[in-house]
Amino acid sequence: MAKLTMVQALNLALRQEMEKDDRVMLLGEDVGVDGGVFRVTDGLIDIFGAERVIDTPLAESGIVGAAIGMAVYGLRPVCEIQFSGFTYFNFHQLESHAARLRHRSQGKYHVPMVLRAPYGGGVRALEHHSESREVYYAHTPGLKMVIPSGPRNSRALMVSAIRDPDPVIFFEPKALYRAFREEVPEEEETLPLGVPVKVREGGDVTLVAYGAMIPLSLDAAEVLKAKHGIEVEVFDLLTLSPLDDTLITESVRKTGHAVVVHEAHRSFGPGAEIMARLMEEAFFYLEAPVKRVTGYDIVYPLFAREKAYMPNAMRIVRAVRETLAS
Amino acid sequence: MAKLTMVQALNLALRQEMEKDDRVMLLGEDVGVDGGVFRVTDGLIDIFGAERVIDTPLAESGIVGAAIGMAVYGLRPVCEIQFSGFTYFNFHQLESHAARLRHRSQGKYHVPMVLRAPYGGGVRALEHHSESREVYYAHTPGLKMVIPSGPRNSRALMVSAIRDPDPVIFFEPKALYRAFREEVPEEEETLPLGVPVKVREGGDVTLVAYGAMIPLSLDAAEVLKAKHGIEVEVFDLLTLSPLDDTLITESVRKTGHAVVVHEAHRSFGPGAEIMARLMEEAFFYLEAPVKRVTGYDIVYPLFAREKAYMPNAMRIVRAVRETLAS
Amino acid sequence: MPKKPLLFTHQLEYLSILDENGNVDQTLEPELPEDFLLKLYRYMLFGRRFDERMLNLQRQGRIGTFPPLTGQEASQLGAAAALKPSDWMAPAFREGLAEIWRGKSMENTILYYAGYDEGGAVEEDRNDLPLAIPVSSQTLHAVGIAMAMKYRQTPDVAMTFFGDGATSEGDFHEALNFAGVFQAPVIFVCQNNQWAISTPLSKQTRSETIAQKAIGYGFPGVQVDGNDILAVYSASAQAIERARSGEGPTLIECLTYRMGLHTTADDPTKYRNNEDVKVWESRDPIRRFQTYLLNKGVLAEEKTQQYEEEIKAEIQGGVERSEKLMNELGAPEDMFAHQYAELSPHLLRQREEMLEQWRLDQKEEKNG
Amino acid sequence: MPKKPLLFTHQLEYLSILDENGNVDQTLEPELPEDFLLKLYRYMLFGRRFDERMLNLQRQGRIGTFPPLTGQEASQLGAAAALKPSDWMAPAFREGLAEIWRGKSMENTILYYAGYDEGGAVEEDRNDLPLAIPVSSQTLHAVGIAMAMKYRQTPDVAMTFFGDGATSEGDFHEALNFAGVFQAPVIFVCQNNQWAISTPLSKQTRSETIAQKAIGYGFPGVQVDGNDILAVYSASAQAIERARSGEGPTLIECLTYRMGLHTTADDPTKYRNNEDVKVWESRDPIRRFQTYLLNKGVLAEEKTQQYEEEIKAEIQGGVERSEKLMNELGAPEDMFAHQYAELSPHLLRQREEMLEQWRLDQKEEKNG
Ligand SMILES: Cc1ncc(C[n+]2csc(CCOP(=O)(O)OP(=O)(O)O)c2C)c(N)n1
Ligand SMILES: Cc1ncc(C[n+]2csc(CCOP(=O)(O)OP(=O)(O)O)c2C)c(N)n1
Ligand SMILES: [Mg+2]
Ligand SMILES: [Mg+2]
């Protein structure tokens, strides 16, 4: 097994799926010759040619609209939008068509496409390059919204996303692109979409997170155990939509306490839905209100102040301790 | 005082603001000669001319982008997007610019524009004409998201929205456009943005709703009182963002029970945020989990089945009774 | 090399074969089999009568909002009829006749406008996208389909329809630009019916023609008399031929007129005067084609009457069958049937909830 | 009226005044005051040196990602210099020099790229939008501003800049179409630098020129040598004059070249070879303008040296002042300062929370 970064792991997933299935196509701005601005598609044009790894004009609606057409025709396009902050240019194509064609054609057509986009903050990026707006997609019926948290699961989820018969919005936490390496097996590996995983066992409090918040949450869990003897159970959502709360609800019924962590803005954010589900499914087990550690309800600041905006392990530790104290 | 429909009340608000302030401009598809497909801008081109009531080409991003330019230049554009389901075509303009220019220019510029759009279901409309996706806007910092529920408050809120120095997304519940009339005073009337109102007093349970769900909620409250002796306190949010939960939290601290009602899809919907706020602010007063009565997490169906999709007074009555029973 | 004119190789043409009175320009007349000509004529007639009937059903409250196509029969049928079944079509929302030509059933059409999602179903052998309401958005799907055809090296093409108003949308631009860059086998057919709801072409663009918009994308544009089915057919066949042989996309502008309402929710007296409509009445696409066929001896007077009667019966049958279907359909859980290939546990629970609430509603409504 | 060519009144021209060697076409040479010519030259030089310094700062980690403009000095300055202060400008993100010409401070430029929101501030008398990263989106704002100018009957115009890549976006199309329909006093300046990151113009559009895209919108397009500041200035002045006198918009395509990286995060060796860059080096806009000024006797050799020294000191001053500012700034509550005219109670609470968390973080970090 090779130790890969998330970028390499995603590249592996794309390469292997393209080798196995000639329906899989890549398209986007600079995905071909340049290999993508983060190099996720690096080298693939050399293997599969410009017919399958398509450098497109600079037009997000064009990319997604064309991908929808390809998908309906029977291909499996994986399109890259250079940053999640530019997916708003193609929002109408996702909402009006990718998400609806199965229903609109009463099952005759479906849209097995993947829309990849780097998202999230913490990497000293330019304006419009650090947003976390996964709620827009999670609130849109007909789409699936997937966010990996490490090299290995990003590879496995990408394979599943490509094979999924429905449109998948696949947000890649760019802060993790090269943050660490993991063993990623050469052999095929998939992970089911729509199923969170427990990444740490614990009995005192349930921590729910995803994406770049996972390493922070695990760090916080370490600190909480080492310094305060608190056992944290950590869940990685992996799929925001369709959201399956079964495992999380079960955990909270055990711990009686929960904290949700995300970079996204707080109000109407992903945490609200988790809290609503826990309200609905675990209310009588809750010993304290669920807390959220999130980005604030403001425009993401330029990078000099992003540290004050972004959740960090210290904030998570405090929130967990407060929940347990209340 | 004249008894007006919501369409007439909105028309009055626009007319009077245009009379008072020559910075106020209207633009959109068919808003001029045709008076808007719902006739909200009817007759205004005759009074104010084609320079101020502008029939635009068929291009939503064009409309919103041009309105942003006008607003920065010092005008107060009110643009109409023909249906909320077409606002996705201009989503990038809202997210990247309308919502950000104040921050981006560090206060030099601001975007005092209103984006009006009919939204919501229940009127036997075509595909893409019945959605309730207010969360997209409520989750976007820099925007305000306003939804009236009757002729009188629609007029007062529209006046406030036009005068507001920041961009306001103003969704008009089309099911209420001509559903009933109310006395609307000729003299100026405003309502503050960002403040919910209590529309019915009651001590047993708190009902939170907005838009076309308000008449249903009031109906349900009547039934609950008449048939079951349950006193319902009903809140009309009016503004979804910025959301002020003070009054609602206070009410729930009193009643210990709450139900949230919206047409929007349930998951990651507006109700989740209300529940999260109640979790944070009123947890120890809650005697039962807050319930939500909402649209389902599916594409809005064509109209033959919309009745089964849409919340109604009967569903609200049941939800309230269940909350009180649990 | 200072101030100098830039040269263009672009050629824009205007094509008309059959004039308003049915006189044909024999140098341009396409050679088409008689039965094909008759089939075209019969479909045009069908289109007109079905439109009238749908309007009627709408006025009786038996269907919902509906966009009539009267006046645009030649424009949409002429283009669609030049396609092979294995080609694909991505219509807007006013191509009901083109869809029926391609195999859409009357029942599905009626069901759709009566508010049944089932009406969106695309028949087994029909390679068409469902109609698209978000203006211009479908043009990109046609491009994607055409790119896929090119990748698969099939000899097929994609054709997409849209209105004059649609040319103002960003998606139209992105579609044409992609098509040009990738030399996709796609034909862009603009039904320029002069109006986008209340907005006349002059307020839609300052471009003298829609056809010339192709210049910005490096491929040919052509303007045709959209009420002349021979011209539309010829221009389309030629564009399809180009696309099939790998020469890339074409933009066809069909000059036509929306004789009726934008949709049944519209009141054109608010924004246009009847004079213009009158002028266009004299350019009716069906009448002139009929004259041509009569002159040519392909059509006999009595055949027209026969067609009218057959069509009337067909439409009556279609309406009856669709209303029967509506009575059979209607279980609301079908709403959940085509959301995803597989419903998540959460959606399965929501479906249960919806059904339970629905049943309770029904019961309460019955009990008053 | 069968198959017939459509006539165009459109005229597309290519304009070049100063050739690569600094030879001027005297029939086209604009008459400009000497001090203005010198000012232009000094700013071009400043632009080049500031670019080099910014690249340097970035490599040292003192600022973040930055898009160099070397090679495009004539193209952006020539256009912006034709504006009056009361005109408006809506730049993309590579018009740093045009912004500085218009009054943007070096400090704000540096602060912005160093990640301080404060750097986005627009100086009191400067009528420019902040730079726009979402490609092409700013073109519509310029149109809206121009429409507002027309409504207010001011004699002003709006100018917007964008790249060749930007012409593929839907917003570009909608902007040009609105501008044409409303005959807005707006000038569209395309800095066609041949590349959009790794995408060459040939993959961006099949159109032979960007200028011809204006044909689809019914107003003039012109192509100019974008490395010839006299040509860019003349074409811009003419377009501005047209706009001011109510004759509507113009599209100007400046043929230029991005000599450096797309941004400091980019590696052009991945996608282009150095031969092309070499060719364009010989077309350098500053060198040829310098030759012209020397030949004309407007500029003396020693003046160049003096400019270089002055500029070096100015830049050094700017860098120092901005770094001083950075040390003074930095309180994170400023994030909340310009979200809305007034903060809602909820946001006020969030600001408190943010500050408290921040202070706790600081304390913990200090204590290890
Ligand atoms: C994106 C979008 N915006 C607005 C509408 C509302 N609308 C429906 S049809 C129409 C006019 C379309 O005009 P045109 O493209 O000329 O087609 P026609 O109706 O003439 O067939 C409008 C504005 C829509 N369906 N989609
Ligand atoms: C809507 C959008 N899509 C993608 C990007 C990422 N991006 C930034 S610059 C750029 C290329 C722009 O090319 P061009 O318009 O030619 O301008 P240039 O960089 O050459 O100045 C891209 C793809 C963006 N900023 N905005
Ligand atoms: Mg039309
Ligand atoms: Mg470029």
Side-chain angles (χ1 to χ4, degrees):
Chain A
M1 283 212 284
K3 284 209 132 203
L4 303 184
T5 62
M6 185 183 282
V7 164
Q8 294 167 327
L10 288 165
N11 186 279
L12 176 70
L14 295 171
R15 177 168 59 73
Q16 290 186 333
E17 286 306 292
M18 291 184 80
E19 275 162 2
K20 278 193 198 120
D21 184 350
D22 75 351
R23 296 174 303 174
V24 182
M25 320 275 289
L26 306 186
L27 68 162
E29 295 155 16
D30 310 292
V31 297
V33 177
D34 202 33
V37 292
F38 287 104
R39 303 288 179 255
V40 171
T41 56
D42 206 22
L44 299 179
I45 194 171
D46 302 324
I47 307 175
F48 302 106
E51 280 67 46
R52 282 183 77 190
V53 183
I54 306 173
D55 275 320
T56 67
L58 209 178
E60 288 74 16
S61 185
I63 294 165
V64 175
I68 290 169
M70 290 175 167
V72 164
Y73 193 76
L75 302 183
R76 305 217 151 214
V78 179
C79 50
E80 174 177 310
I81 299 298
Q82 212 157 65
F83 287 88
S84 69
F86 307 130
T87 60
Y88 317 131
F89 284 72
N90 57 250
F91 200 62
H92 58 289
Q93 284 289 345
L94 287 178
E95 197 281 338
S96 313
H97 298 293
R100 290 172 183 255
L101 265 166
R102 181 185 287 280
H103 175 70
R104 301 191 65 245
S105 69
Q106 294 286 292
K108 167 107 182 255
Y109 302 126
H110 60 129
V111 185
M113 66 175 271
V114 180
L115 182 152
R116 297 179 39 239
Y119 92 107
V123 300
R124 291 172 55 88
L126 286 164
E127 263 186 300
H128 307 281
H129 287 65
S130 301
E131 275 66 33
S132 297
R133 299 282 176 82
E134 48 276 18
V135 160
Y136 296 154
Y137 308 96
H139 185 60
T140 304
L143 301 180
K144 298 186 177 180
M145 170 80 243
V146 173
I147 300 185
S149 63
R152 186 159 182 174
N153 64 29
S154 72
R155 189 283 197 101
L157 288 167
M158 179 56 80
V159 172
S160 300
I162 293 172
R163 297 183 187 175
D164 196 274
D166 288 304
V168 178
I169 310 302
F170 196 97
F171 271 14
E172 300 165 3
K174 69 174 93 64
L176 303 185
Y177 264 156
R178 293 182 170 82
F180 60 96
R181 289 169 183 271
E182 271 178 354
E183 304 275 352
V184 179
E186 181 70 18
E187 329 52 275
E188 171 173 319
E189 203 172 56
T190 61
L191 265 174
L193 305 188
V195 186
V197 296
K198 191 190 287 184
V199 288
R200 184 188 170 107
E201 193 94 40
D204 296 329
V205 58
T206 306
L207 202 57
V208 182
Y210 56 91
M213 299 297 100
I214 291 298
L216 302 182
S217 298
L218 292 172
D219 286 353
E222 281 302 314
V223 172
L224 284 159
K225 182 179 170 113
K227 286 211 190 161
H228 310 284
I230 297 168
E231 295 286 356
V232 186
E233 188 146 291
V234 183
F235 285 90
D236 185 348
L237 287 180
L238 297 178
T239 304
L240 266 86
S241 172
L243 180 66
D244 188 354
D245 55 67
T246 320
L247 295 176
I248 294 158
T249 309
E250 219 167 74
S251 169
V252 174
R253 286 181 181 171
K254 176 179 75 182
T255 63
H257 296 86
V259 172
V260 192
V261 187
H262 56 69
E263 305 176 41
H265 309 297
R266 182 174 306 160
S267 291
F268 304 91
E273 181 61 25
I274 304 288
M275 289 161 89
R277 298 279 182 100
L278 291 175
M279 174 84 88
E280 286 165 343
E281 306 294 334
F283 179 78
F284 294 106
Y285 300 84
L286 276 174
E287 289 164 32
V290 180
K291 268 189 107 58
R292 23 183 188 180
V293 177
T294 70
Y296 302 102
D297 294 345
I298 58 174
V299 172
Y300 193 95
L302 289 192
F303 65 80
R305 268 63 157 264
E306 70 181 333
K307 248 182 97 178
Y309 177 92
M310 287 279 282
N312 59 33
M314 295 177 283
R315 279 175 68 191
I316 301 172
V317 167
R318 273 176 232 131
V320 166
R321 296 186 63 204
E322 282 164 26
T323 326
L324 289 171
S326 73
Chain B
M1 284 212 282
K3 284 208 134 208
L4 304 183
T5 63
M6 186 184 282
V7 164
Q8 294 166 328
L10 288 166
N11 186 278
L12 176 69
L14 295 171
R15 178 167 58 73
Q16 290 186 331
E17 285 307 291
M18 291 183 81
E19 276 161 2
K20 278 193 197 117
D21 184 350
D22 75 352
R23 296 174 303 175
V24 181
M25 319 275 289
L26 305 187
L27 68 163
E29 295 155 16
D30 309 294
V31 297
V33 178
D34 203 33
V37 293
F38 286 104
R39 302 288 180 256
V40 171
T41 54
D42 205 22
L44 299 179
I45 194 171
D46 302 324
I47 306 175
F48 302 105
E51 279 68 43
R52 283 183 74 190
V53 184
I54 307 173
D55 276 321
T56 67
L58 209 177
E60 288 75 16
S61 185
I63 294 165
V64 175
I68 289 170
M70 289 174 168
V72 165
Y73 194 75
L75 303 182
R76 304 219 152 213
V78 179
C79 50
E80 175 177 308
I81 298 298
Q82 211 156 67
F83 286 89
S84 69
F86 306 131
T87 59
Y88 317 131
F89 283 72
N90 57 250
F91 199 62
H92 58 291
Q93 284 290 344
L94 287 178
E95 197 281 338
S96 313
H97 297 294
R100 288 170 183 257
L101 265 167
R102 180 186 287 281
H103 176 70
R104 300 190 67 245
S105 68
Q106 293 286 293
K108 167 108 183 253
Y109 303 125
H110 60 128
V111 185
M113 66 175 271
V114 180
L115 182 151
R116 296 180 38 240
Y119 92 108
V123 300
R124 291 171 56 88
L126 286 164
E127 261 186 302
H128 306 281
H129 287 63
S130 301
E131 276 64 34
S132 297
R133 298 283 176 82
E134 48 277 17
V135 160
Y136 296 153
Y137 308 96
H139 185 60
T140 304
L143 302 179
K144 298 185 177 182
M145 170 81 243
V146 173
I147 300 184
S149 63
R152 185 158 180 175
N153 64 29
S154 73
R155 189 284 197 101
L157 287 167
M158 178 57 80
V159 173
S160 300
I162 293 173
R163 297 183 188 175
D164 196 273
D166 287 305
V168 178
I169 311 301
F170 195 97
F171 271 14
E172 300 165 4
K174 69 174 93 61
L176 303 186
Y177 264 157
R178 294 184 170 80
F180 59 96
R181 289 171 182 269
E182 270 177 356
E183 306 275 352
V184 178
E186 180 71 16
E187 328 55 272
E188 172 173 318
E189 204 174 53
T190 61
L191 264 174
L193 305 188
V195 185
V197 296
K198 191 189 287 184
V199 289
R200 185 188 169 106
E201 194 95 38
D204 294 331
V205 58
T206 306
L207 201 58
V208 182
Y210 56 92
M213 298 297 100
I214 291 297
L216 303 182
S217 297
L218 292 172
D219 286 354
E222 281 301 314
V223 172
L224 283 159
K225 181 178 172 114
K227 285 211 189 162
H228 309 285
I230 296 169
E231 295 287 355
V232 187
E233 187 144 292
V234 183
F235 285 90
D236 185 347
L237 287 180
L238 298 178
T239 305
L240 266 87
S241 172
L243 179 67
D244 188 353
D245 55 67
T246 319
L247 295 176
I248 293 158
T249 308
E250 220 169 71
S251 168
V252 174
R253 286 181 180 172
K254 175 180 74 182
T255 62
H257 295 86
V259 171
V260 191
V261 187
H262 57 69
E263 307 176 40
H265 310 297
R266 182 174 307 161
S267 291
F268 304 90
E273 180 60 24
I274 304 287
M275 289 162 88
R277 298 280 183 101
L278 291 175
M279 173 83 88
E280 288 165 341
E281 306 293 334
F283 179 77
F284 293 105
Y285 301 84
L286 277 174
E287 289 164 31
V290 180
K291 269 190 106 58
R292 20 183 190 182
V293 177
T294 69
Y296 302 101
D297 294 345
I298 58 174
V299 173
Y300 193 95
L302 290 191
F303 66 78
R305 268 63 156 266
E306 68 182 336
K307 246 182 98 178
Y309 176 91
M310 286 281 281
N312 59 32
M314 295 177 284
R315 279 175 68 192
I316 300 172
V317 166
R318 273 176 232 132
V320 166
R321 295 187 64 207
E322 281 165 26
T323 325
L324 288 171
S326 73
Chain C
M1 36 156 218
K3 212 160 180 172
K4 65 166 194 209
L6 286 171
L7 294 177
F8 280 100
T9 53
H10 291 96
Q11 218 178 322
L12 288 180
E13 283 177 341
Y14 175 84
L15 183 65
S16 151
I17 299 177
L18 209 55
D19 76 9
E20 296 178 21
N21 304 316
N23 302 317
V24 69
D25 179 331
Q26 285 175 347
T27 62
L28 295 170
E29 186 183 7
E31 279 181 44
L32 296 172
E34 293 199 355
D35 56 347
F36 185 72
L37 288 170
L38 283 176
K39 190 173 165 197
L40 284 179
Y41 173 72
R42 195 184 192 284
Y43 264 88
M44 286 172 86
L45 208 58
F46 172 87
R48 181 70 55 93
R49 298 295 169 248
F50 187 56
D51 213 48
E52 290 160 359
R53 183 64 189 270
M54 289 293 277
L55 212 55
N56 213 258
L57 291 174
Q58 196 280 335
R59 295 312 190 208
Q60 297 168 352
R62 289 156 78 185
I63 63 169
T65 311
F66 166 76
L69 59 81
T70 288
Q72 302 182 211
E73 294 88 352
S75 160
Q76 59 185 263
L77 192 61
L83 293 172
K84 288 189 193 159
S86 58
D87 295 326
W88 279 63
M89 182 172 95
F93 50 83
R94 207 184 294 285
E95 284 79 29
L97 176 57
E99 287 182 293
I100 284 178
W101 171 273
R102 297 269 301 165
K104 180 159 177 167
S105 72
M106 254 189 293
E107 290 87 320
N108 278 342
T109 306
I110 297 170
L111 278 179
Y112 178 83
Y113 286 109
Y116 289 86
D117 293 296
E118 285 83 352
V122 179
E123 293 74 10
E124 194 51 49
D125 292 328
R126 189 160 68 92
N127 290 325
D128 299 345
L129 288 181
L131 65 83
I133 286 180
V135 167
S136 210
S137 58
Q138 75 282 3
T139 58
L140 279 165
H141 310 155
V143 173
I145 289 169
M147 286 170 74
M149 289 167 167
K150 197 169 171 182
Y151 170 64
R152 285 301 191 203
Q153 302 186 302
T154 69
D156 299 323
V157 306
M159 175 179 280
T160 182
F161 285 94
F162 51 92
D164 42 317
T167 66
S168 296
E169 287 281 4
D171 276 5
F172 165 79
H173 171 73
E174 299 190 15
L176 269 73
N177 192 46
F178 267 57
V181 167
F182 296 112
Q183 287 293 286
V186 55
I187 296 92
F188 297 97
V189 182
C190 180
Q191 291 206 65
N192 176 358
N193 65 5
Q194 316 299 325
W195 294 93
I197 308 187
S198 74
T199 309
L201 188 62
S202 59
K203 286 193 194 174
Q204 201 63 250
T205 180
R206 206 175 162 87
S207 175
E208 296 91 337
T209 68
I210 301 289
Q212 80 199 58
K213 290 180 186 276
I215 294 177
Y217 311 101
F219 60 79
V222 53
Q223 193 183 52
V224 307
D225 180 344
N227 283 5
D228 167 1
I229 195 163
L230 296 182
V232 177
Y233 181 88
S234 296
S236 303
Q238 206 178 317
I240 291 169
E241 193 37 46
R242 282 192 74 245
R244 266 198 231 293
S245 57
E247 292 171 62
T250 306
L251 169 63
I252 300 176
E253 173 187 7
C254 300
L255 282 174
T256 181
Y257 200 80
R258 193 194 79 214
M259 297 301 294
L261 317 154
H262 168 69
T263 67
T264 48
D266 177 47
D267 172 14
T269 64
K270 285 278 285 186
Y271 54 80
R272 72 181 187 187
N273 63 43
N274 220 25
E275 302 306 295
D276 292 353
V277 185
K278 281 267 155 58
V279 171
W280 281 90
E281 246 163 37
S282 69
R283 301 178 184 155
D284 189 81
I286 302 186
R287 187 162 7 80
R288 74 169 87 167
F289 192 47
Q290 187 185 10
T291 306
Y292 166 73
L293 294 178
L294 290 169
N295 290 349
K296 206 178 165 76
V298 170
L299 183 71
E301 200 63 82
E302 61 275 17
K303 190 103 184 179
T304 320
Q305 210 35 54
Q306 181 196 323
Y307 281 172
E308 290 277 13
E309 277 155 30
E310 287 169 13
I311 286 168
K312 196 169 168 188
E314 277 167 29
I315 292 174
Q316 183 56 23
V319 172
E320 280 166 16
R321 285 193 304 281
S322 67
E323 297 200 327
K324 185 154 168 291
L325 275 171
M326 287 180 221
N327 290 332
E328 290 162 16
L329 294 170
E333 71 262 42
D334 288 357
M335 272 188 225
F336 285 78
H338 302 292
Q339 299 290 330
Y340 294 95
E342 231 177 292
L343 287 184
S344 66
H346 192 68
L347 275 178
L348 285 170
R349 277 197 301 277
Q350 280 199 5
R351 190 175 64 183
E352 286 318 298
E353 178 193 327
M354 190 268 276
L355 277 177
E356 195 197 323
Q357 295 294 329
W358 175 250
R359 285 197 205 101
L360 290 169
D361 285 357
Q362 302 278 85
K363 212 159 76 183
E364 279 190 46
E365 280 187 347
K366 218 187 280 165
N367 304 343
Chain D
M1 37 152 217
K3 210 161 178 169
K4 65 165 194 210
L6 284 171
L7 293 177
F8 281 100
T9 52
H10 290 96
Q11 218 180 319
L12 287 179
E13 284 177 342
Y14 175 84
L15 182 65
S16 151
I17 299 177
L18 209 55
D19 76 10
E20 297 178 22
N21 304 315
N23 301 318
V24 68
D25 180 330
Q26 286 175 347
T27 61
L28 295 169
E29 186 183 6
E31 278 182 43
L32 297 172
E34 294 199 354
D35 56 346
F36 184 72
L37 288 170
L38 283 176
K39 190 174 166 197
L40 284 178
Y41 173 72
R42 196 182 190 287
Y43 264 89
M44 286 173 85
L45 208 57
F46 172 88
R48 181 70 54 94
R49 298 298 168 245
F50 187 56
D51 214 48
E52 289 161 0
R53 183 64 189 271
M54 290 292 279
L55 211 55
N56 213 259
L57 292 175
Q58 195 281 334
R59 293 313 189 207
Q60 296 169 352
R62 290 155 77 185
I63 63 169
T65 311
F66 166 76
L69 58 81
T70 289
Q72 301 182 215
E73 294 87 352
S75 161
Q76 58 185 265
L77 192 60
L83 293 173
K84 288 190 193 159
S86 59
D87 294 327
W88 279 63
M89 183 172 93
F93 50 84
R94 207 183 293 285
E95 284 80 28
L97 177 56
E99 287 182 292
I100 284 179
W101 170 274
R102 297 270 301 166
K104 180 161 176 168
S105 71
M106 256 188 288
E107 290 87 319
N108 277 343
T109 306
I110 297 170
L111 279 179
Y112 177 83
Y113 286 108
Y116 289 86
D117 293 295
E118 285 82 352
V122 179
E123 294 72 10
E124 195 50 52
D125 292 328
R126 190 160 67 91
N127 290 325
D128 299 345
L129 288 180
L131 64 83
I133 286 179
V135 168
S136 212
S137 57
Q138 76 282 3
T139 57
L140 280 164
H141 310 155
V143 173
I145 289 168
M147 288 170 73
M149 287 166 168
K150 197 169 170 180
Y151 170 66
R152 286 301 192 202
Q153 301 186 303
T154 69
D156 299 322
V157 306
M159 174 178 281
T160 182
F161 286 92
F162 51 92
D164 44 316
T167 66
S168 295
E169 287 281 5
D171 276 4
F172 165 80
H173 171 73
E174 300 190 16
L176 269 72
N177 193 46
F178 267 57
V181 167
F182 297 112
Q183 288 292 286
V186 56
I187 296 93
F188 296 98
V189 182
C190 180
Q191 290 205 66
N192 176 358
N193 64 5
Q194 316 298 326
W195 293 93
I197 308 187
S198 74
T199 310
L201 188 62
S202 59
K203 287 195 194 173
Q204 200 64 248
T205 181
R206 207 176 161 86
S207 173
E208 296 90 337
T209 68
I210 301 290
Q212 80 200 57
K213 290 181 185 275
I215 294 176
Y217 310 101
F219 60 80
V222 53
Q223 194 182 53
V224 306
D225 179 344
N227 284 4
D228 168 0
I229 193 163
L230 296 182
V232 178
Y233 181 87
S234 295
S236 303
Q238 207 178 319
I240 290 169
E241 192 38 49
R242 281 191 74 245
R244 265 197 230 296
S245 57
E247 291 170 61
T250 307
L251 170 61
I252 301 175
E253 173 187 8
C254 300
L255 282 174
T256 181
Y257 200 79
R258 193 194 78 213
M259 296 302 294
L261 317 153
H262 168 68
T263 67
T264 48
D266 177 46
D267 172 13
T269 64
K270 285 278 285 185
Y271 54 80
R272 73 181 185 189
N273 64 42
N274 221 23
E275 302 306 296
D276 292 353
V277 185
K278 280 269 155 59
V279 171
W280 280 90
E281 245 163 37
S282 69
R283 300 179 186 156
D284 189 81
I286 302 186
R287 188 164 5 84
R288 75 169 85 167
F289 192 47
Q290 188 186 12
T291 308
Y292 165 72
L293 293 178
L294 289 169
N295 290 348
K296 205 178 166 74
V298 170
L299 183 71
E301 200 64 83
E302 62 275 16
K303 192 107 185 179
T304 321
Q305 211 34 55
Q306 182 198 323
Y307 282 171
E308 290 278 13
E309 277 154 30
E310 286 168 14
I311 286 167
K312 197 169 168 190
E314 278 167 28
I315 292 175
Q316 183 57 23
V319 171
E320 281 166 17
R321 285 193 305 280
S322 68
E323 298 203 324
K324 185 157 168 290
L325 276 170
M326 287 179 218
N327 289 332
E328 290 161 16
L329 295 171
E333 71 262 42
D334 288 357
M335 273 188 222
F336 284 77
H338 301 292
Q339 300 291 330
Y340 294 94
E342 232 177 292
L343 287 183
S344 67
H346 192 68
L347 274 179
L348 285 170
R349 276 198 302 278
Q350 280 200 5
R351 189 176 63 182
E352 286 319 299
E353 178 192 327
M354 192 267 277
L355 277 176
E356 194 197 326
Q357 294 294 329
W358 175 250
R359 285 196 206 103
L360 291 169
D361 285 358
Q362 302 278 86
K363 212 160 75 185
E364 278 190 48
E365 281 187 347
K366 218 187 277 163
N367 305 341

